[in-house]
Amino acid sequence: MEQNFAIAAQWVLLALIATVLSIRLGISVALMEIAVGVIGGNAVHLEITPWVTFLAGFGAVVLTFLAGAEIDPDSLKGNLKESLVIGFLSFLLPFLGGMWFAEYVFGWDGNAAKIAGIALSTTSVAVVYAVMVESGLSASRLGQGILAACFVTDLGTVLALGLLFTGFSLKVVWFTAVMIVAVVVITPLSARVFKWYGGRVSEPEIKFIFLVLLALAYLAVISGSEAVLPAYIIGMAMARFFKHYKPTLTKMRAIVFAVFTPFYFIKAGVLVSVGALYTMSGTILVFLLIKMATKFIGVLPATNWFHYTPRTGIYTTLLMSTGLTFGTISSLYGLTNHYINEGQYSVLVATVILSAVVPTMIAQKWFFPTDETSESPAVIKNMVIREREAD
């Protein structure tokens, strides 16, 4: 027990340091948490226990749910075509480019190359959502479109992993049926729970949502899918419902950002080996450039087609170039099933985590879409902070 408290204190200390640095430097707290995770994992050998892994995983699940729940249904309809096109191209070109380069340039075998392509094709809903919330863009038309496109990209990643490796068993069919039922019943069931038990200090409605997410995450995992996928779908299904319960959504966001997501982002940083970065830096850099270049080749022309301004188009492309959750999941799947070796796994994970940091920092620093709002990023952040304090 003493050991657990000591480990928890280390993780929370790093989370606090990351938050303070984020405020001081004006950098997204998600990126700072990844950075302190790299330092903690390599300098003090921060331990990843099973409960840390669970908290990090649940943080990704709830963060993904919130990203779906904050997508306005009417805005989604208006952005549907561009989100589908941008999201599909964001998946397809990096997948093909990463797979081709891994096999024919680096000499990886066919299965390893497929894992590389899948890992590089991803876009991180968690990172993008965290950045959107901090920047004040999560409710804007641009933010809604990017979040929807992220889902399309990651759906392509899940389908590619299933088609190429895991196959579609009877479990997947049953899970699909359960998800259809859940999407239909979740809103009326939640309406009753919120009506009967909402407004209490014990927050039973939030516990109910957490229960639903945990149950669906369990079903997803045992069916061979990923825990975050049903969370996003359920979030989108409840988006119109939560338009009438914004305070509850705000409370959930506060819980997640304070308790769960620090473990998720710090753990991502801990997984980065500085030694691997040094010894395999050339391969990692090439893979990172391939991912970003193929994202630009696919996404940027699409933004021009949909009449984005040049600045907004580059910003969108950079955020679609991020990666984290599904990239690390697919890499770990390849290692566990012996499709890739430890060296290849280290290269892919380092590339994926760097892709969560490098494009995001460039986007926020030099291409923040000021045409989406009359306020500067700093003013927007201050407005968001005041709104949170008022709540």
Side-chain angles (χ1 to χ4, degrees), residues 50-374:
W51 60 264
V52 167
T53 299
F54 168 75
L55 290 176
F58 189 55
V61 168
V62 182
L63 199 61
T64 306
F65 167 81
L66 291 173
E70 293 209 22
I71 294 180
D72 182 82
D74 298 322
S75 177
L76 178 61
K77 289 180 181 178
N79 294 329
L80 184 60
K81 184 178 179 181
E82 60 192 75
S83 295
L84 288 173
V85 171
I86 290 173
F88 177 71
L89 292 174
S90 172
F91 158 74
L92 183 63
L93 270 69
F95 169 67
L96 295 176
M99 182 169 59
W100 185 89
F101 221 89
E103 184 169 0
Y104 295 105
V105 176
F106 289 122
W108 293 14
D109 65 45
N111 285 332
K114 292 173 186 175
I115 292 291
I118 292 171
L120 296 180
S121 70
T122 59
T123 294
S124 176
V125 174
V127 171
V128 172
Y129 175 70
V131 170
M132 289 292 175
V133 169
E134 286 191 86
S135 302
L137 289 176
S138 59
S140 69
R141 183 180 182 276
L142 174 65
Q144 303 274 303
I146 292 176
L147 287 172
C150 288
F151 173 73
V152 174
T153 299
D154 284 341
L155 181 60
T157 299
V158 172
L159 292 175
L161 192 63
L163 287 169
L164 296 175
F165 293 102
T166 63
F168 289 95
S169 64
L170 186 61
K171 289 183 179 180
V172 175
V173 176
W174 279 110
F175 176 66
T176 303
V178 169
M179 280 303 303
I180 293 172
V181 173
V183 168
V184 172
V185 304
I186 187 63
T187 296
L189 184 59
S190 298
R192 293 193 177 191
V193 172
F194 278 54
K195 180 180 178 180
W196 292 342
Y197 303 108
R200 269 74 169 183
V201 175
S202 56
E203 303 292 350
E205 64 271 39
I206 294 179
K207 293 173 183 173
F208 170 73
I209 296 298
F210 283 177
L211 173 61
V212 171
L213 294 177
L214 286 168
L216 291 175
Y218 169 73
L219 293 175
V221 171
I222 64 172
S223 69
S225 183
E226 298 300 337
V228 294
L229 184 61
Y232 198 92
I233 295 172
I234 290 296
M236 293 179 68
M238 298 186 70
R240 192 176 297 279
F241 170 80
F242 272 112
K243 289 179 72 174
H244 306 289
Y245 292 97
K246 284 293 185 182
T248 301
L249 215 55
T250 302
K251 291 174 186 177
M252 289 182 64
R253 184 195 296 169
I255 294 170
V256 171
F257 274 87
V259 180
F260 294 110
T261 56
F263 287 94
Y264 172 66
F265 289 118
I266 293 173
K267 181 189 172 188
V270 173
L271 292 174
V272 176
S273 169
V274 172
L277 287 177
Y278 177 74
T279 57
M280 296 180 284
S281 57
T283 306
I284 294 169
L285 179 61
V286 170
F287 269 131
L288 180 62
L289 290 175
I290 291 169
K291 173 169 183 170
M292 293 184 64
T294 51
K295 292 278 186 178
F296 266 81
I297 293 171
V299 175
L300 190 59
T303 63
N304 293 332
W305 177 265
F306 290 110
H307 307 295
Y308 284 41
T309 64
R311 185 185 187 91
T312 302
I314 295 175
Y315 182 82
T316 300
T317 304
L318 286 167
L319 288 190
M320 295 302 295
S321 301
T322 60
L324 196 58
T325 310
F326 283 112
T328 53
I329 286 172
S330 56
S331 300
L332 183 59
Y333 175 85
L335 178 66
T336 304
N337 291 277
H338 308 293
Y339 294 123
I340 59 175
N341 58 40
E342 291 185 0
Q344 292 167 330
Y345 171 78
S346 297
V347 167
L348 292 178
V349 169
T351 303
V352 167
I353 294 174
L354 283 175
S355 75
V357 177
V358 176
T360 309
M361 291 189 67
I362 296 173
Q364 293 295 95
K365 184 71 175 179
W366 289 292
F367 295 99
F368 188 88
T370 53
D371 53 303
E372 290 292 320
T373 175
S374 59

